[in-house]
Amino acid sequence: EEKRREEKRREEKRRERKMDDQKKNKSALDGTIPDVGPERTMEGDGKGLNSCCKFNEFLFIGSAEDGTLRVFHLPTHKERKRFSIGFKGMYESGTHLFVVQADARILVFSMSMKLPVAYLNGHEKWITGMCISLDVGVTSAADGTACVWDLGNYVPKKRKGALMTSDSKKTRAMVNKYDRTTSDVETDTTFGGDESVGELSDEDLLSFGEEEEPDTFLEKLARHKTVTPVRRLNDHTDIVTSCAIVVTFLVTTSADLTVRLWNLAGKCVQVAKGSHEDWITHSVAVNTTVVTASKDNMVVMWRLTLKKGGLRGKDQYQLKKIKASQTQARPSKLFVCNKKVFVATSDNAFHLMNQAGQFVKSFHGHEGKITAIHSSRDTMSFLWTSSEDKRMRKWALETGNTLTCYVGHKKAITGIYMVQGELLTTSLDGTIMVWSRRIEADKLRWYQSNKAMSKQEEENKLSWYHSDSPQSTPKGGKKSKKGKGKEPKGSGTPKKAEDEFAWYM
């Protein structure tokens, strides 16, 4: 009797799962956006989480609510270390984290040693933006200055001297053939660095770092390993709101309504005025292109070009204005994903900008401010966004449709991260949630939204499934051993898009 009851319970569970799958598939086809919960949740102490980064078996988590940086061991789910540093934001570069503190200093944190290794000190007021490229870091601050840091000791050896020793010939070559994306510049994302000054070696850091309490260790570090900038840019007359690196030039924006272009020697080579009528609040750089946004709802695209016969008959590089576009609401943040620029606005929408500086697509659906946008290289067709409405959404980049809504957090989501193929989100509710990237309903809804295309377009568009299918043939056309990489027996090679899709399902 007990066996029969157990079998009955199992059968009921199988029916429930089958009905849930049918509901998800139906909702994907009838236009309803399915809600998906997390696969698992990592609970914290209730303090809001703003940033996280994974290195080997450890998570490095920053919280602006209590100003701490925590080292979390994933296999045991235990916190190993906690540093009270007045955390405001951080950025990962190789094996180091560059953490902005409330006292306008930058803490260089070694993830391999799990210890801070240096302080970067050069500003008197809070830091507004930071960016990094190869061995150069730039910071902007409310004290009206920008600082240039040499990151030679905190980057891989192949990056050392890449920009600091550049000359005019190297600059021209890098402008002509440039394939690198400079990261987004925001108040809560941090970069920086400089030459290492002090008498403490890594062995010394490890020796008293393990014996001392974290607060005592940080005091000793501040005395022995404080670094100053190699350049200080002082020409702005008001708060420097953001900064960016374009090839071998630096770009700064300010509340004085100007955009300035600098060389690595610290000389201002161009002052651009008149494009904005209110505070310039954000800037990002992609290759040789710079995008700036301001409080007057204007988004301007610039491009680094060579002006022949400039000052004193010499060729000069300058920022050329490409396009100025006005948004209906105030730009709240700029994002760069896979060399695409997205502009988030205060009406809870975000917009895709093309290379000509025009808005080509708008995405609507969130009910709160956009906090993060993520798109990995292996999923170029999809986009994830998080918001203060406690939800994360997955979008089809080509159509602008919402495919899935991820529900589970109790407060605003602060970041989206891809860690070893898993999608992670941090939130002000103090939890980290892990989500499934690929959902069957996403594919059904994506296919349904593209059914109006021609047959040839369908054949091309459905190529996305090859990379997701566990039965697809590996690259190079070689069949793997033990039957892996082979199609099911009798399936053959589908000739039509519908047959191909049905075979995949």
Side-chain angles (χ1 to χ4, degrees):
E1 183 67 22
E2 290 179 358
K3 289 182 179 179
R4 283 196 294 270
R5 289 177 181 175
E6 182 66 24
E7 184 63 30
K8 187 176 180 180
R9 283 194 294 268
R10 291 179 181 176
E11 184 64 28
E12 289 178 354
K13 289 182 179 180
R14 283 195 291 267
R15 288 178 183 176
E16 290 177 359
R17 285 196 297 266
K18 187 175 181 180
M19 290 179 65
D20 290 341
D21 292 339
Q22 290 176 353
K23 287 180 181 179
K24 288 180 181 179
N25 295 345
K26 184 178 179 181
S27 65
L29 292 173
D30 64 11
T32 305
I33 301 172
D35 289 344
V36 178
E39 289 188 339
R40 62 182 185 274
T41 302
M42 290 179 275
E43 299 288 345
D45 57 1
K47 301 297 183 181
L49 306 180
N50 297 84
S51 304
C52 84
C53 174
K54 183 179 182 297
F55 184 80
N56 293 336
E57 296 181 344
F58 292 88
L59 272 181
F60 299 86
I61 306 170
S63 172
E65 183 175 344
D66 58 1
T68 60
L69 178 66
R70 314 170 194 181
V71 182
F72 187 80
H73 190 231
L74 283 174
T76 60
H77 289 268
K78 292 183 178 180
E79 182 180 305
R80 291 292 181 86
K81 294 181 182 179
R82 178 179 295 204
F83 297 90
S84 299
I85 56 176
F87 178 92
K88 288 298 180 183
M90 68 182 182
Y91 179 77
E92 175 192 5
S93 180
T95 60
H96 288 81
L97 291 175
F98 298 91
V99 185
V100 161
Q101 299 185 173
D103 58 3
R105 291 186 300 173
I106 302 167
L107 180 68
V108 184
F109 192 94
S110 172
M111 292 187 286
S112 58
M113 299 169 59
K114 302 172 194 62
L115 287 173
V117 294
Y119 271 110
L120 309 182
N121 192 2
H123 292 291
E124 298 177 356
K125 294 184 179 180
W126 49 276
I127 295 173
T128 59
M130 301 187 117
C131 61
I132 189 173
S133 180
L134 298 181
D135 61 339
V136 173
V138 183
T139 59
S140 56
D143 57 8
T145 66
C147 293
V148 183
W149 311 86
D150 184 0
L151 296 181
N153 292 310
Y154 311 118
V155 297
K157 291 182 179 180
K158 63 181 181 180
R159 295 185 182 180
K160 291 186 178 181
L163 289 188
M164 280 296 180
T165 59
S166 63
D167 53 19
S168 58
K169 292 182 179 179
K170 188 174 183 179
T171 298
R172 183 170 300 184
M174 293 180 72
V175 170
N176 293 336
K177 188 177 181 180
Y178 186 83
D179 188 19
R180 183 177 69 253
T181 303
T182 306
S183 299
D184 187 12
V185 179
E186 288 300 328
T187 302
D188 57 352
T189 54
T190 307
F191 321 67
D194 195 292
E195 57 197 12
S196 182
V197 178
E199 301 177 353
L200 292 178
S201 63
D202 291 346
E203 291 76 12
D204 296 331
L205 289 170
L206 282 172
S207 61
F208 73 80
E210 294 177 353
E211 298 172 359
E212 301 284 352
E213 291 294 327
D215 293 342
T216 307
F217 170 68
L218 290 174
E219 291 177 2
K220 290 184 177 181
L221 186 72
R223 290 197 301 267
H224 295 281
K225 291 282 250 185
T226 296
V227 177
T228 56
V230 294
R231 301 282 187 276
R232 193 182 297 274
L233 315 179
N234 299 311
D235 290 1
H236 282 291
T237 59
D238 208 331
I239 295 174
V240 182
T241 55
S242 67
C243 55
I245 299 178
V246 188
V247 194
T248 60
F249 291 91
L250 315 176
V251 177
T252 57
T253 63
S254 173
D256 61 10
L257 314 186
T258 63
V259 179
R260 290 179 179 265
L261 182 68
W262 313 74
N263 59 22
L264 288 177
K267 180 181 178 181
C268 182
V269 296
Q270 181 187 359
V271 181
K273 300 179 180 179
S275 297
H276 296 282
E277 297 178 357
D278 206 336
W279 277 34
I280 306 173
T281 54
H282 302 85
S283 68
V284 293
V286 183
N287 296 342
T288 58
T289 301
V290 179
V291 179
T292 58
S294 62
K295 286 185 176 180
D296 59 359
N297 296 1
M298 294 299 297
V299 181
V300 181
M301 176 172 282
W302 312 79
R303 190 156 292 140
L304 185 66
T305 57
L306 179 63
K307 181 180 180 181
K308 295 186 177 182
L311 185 65
R312 299 178 182 178
K314 296 181 179 180
D315 295 348
Q316 276 190 328
Y317 284 96
Q318 65 176 10
L319 288 176
K320 181 180 178 181
K321 185 176 178 181
I322 303 298
K323 176 74 174 179
S325 304
Q326 189 166 12
T327 57
Q328 295 182 354
R330 175 184 167 185
S332 59
K333 204 167 187 179
L334 300 180
F335 300 91
V336 175
C337 294
N338 290 328
K339 299 186 180 182
K340 295 182 177 66
V341 177
F342 295 89
V343 181
T345 51
S346 58
D347 58 356
N348 307 330
F350 65 101
H351 315 274
L352 173 61
M353 178 177 281
N354 63 10
Q355 295 181 353
Q358 300 172 337
F359 293 117
V360 295
K361 195 177 296 297
S362 297
F363 301 80
H364 300 270
H366 279 295
E367 298 178 359
K369 179 183 175 182
I370 306 294
T371 57
I373 298 179
H374 178 81
S375 176
S376 59
R377 292 177 180 268
D378 61 336
T379 54
M380 297 285 285
S381 299
F382 301 125
L383 195 71
W384 289 270
T385 59
S386 63
S387 170
E388 292 181 351
D389 61 6
K390 314 171 193 176
R391 293 171 176 250
M392 178 174 65
R393 287 176 177 261
K394 184 177 183 179
W395 308 80
L397 189 58
E398 296 177 356
T399 62
N401 295 334
T402 300
L403 301 177
T404 308
C405 190
Y406 300 81
V407 181
H409 284 294
K410 298 179 181 179
K411 291 185 179 180
I413 301 175
T414 56
I416 306 174
Y417 310 91
M418 195 70 69
V419 178
Q420 292 183 343
E422 292 184 324
L423 198 64
L424 273 65
T425 55
T426 55
S427 172
L428 294 180
D429 61 10
T431 63
I432 298 177
M433 291 190 176
V434 184
W435 313 82
S436 174
R437 288 194 302 162
R438 296 182 174 92
I439 300 172
E440 185 176 285
D442 293 353
K443 302 183 186 303
L444 286 167
R445 182 172 172 79
W446 185 94
Y447 176 74
Q448 183 71 11
S449 65
N450 288 275
K451 283 187 68 175
M453 298 183 296
S454 65
K455 295 294 181 181
Q456 184 61 37
E457 287 177 333
E458 278 188 357
E459 296 287 348
N460 297 333
K461 296 296 182 182
L462 278 174
S463 61
W464 56 267
Y465 92 93
H466 285 294
S467 60
D468 291 343
S469 174
Q471 298 171 340
S472 59
T473 303
K475 292 183 179 180
K478 296 181 180 180
K479 303 289 184 179
S480 58
K481 297 179 180 180
K482 298 182 181 181
K484 293 183 179 179
K486 297 180 180 179
E487 297 177 4
K489 187 176 181 180
S491 64
T493 303
K495 295 182 180 181
K496 295 183 179 180
E498 293 86 349
D499 299 336
E500 204 165 342
F501 184 77
W503 171 78
Y504 171 75
M505 293 306 299

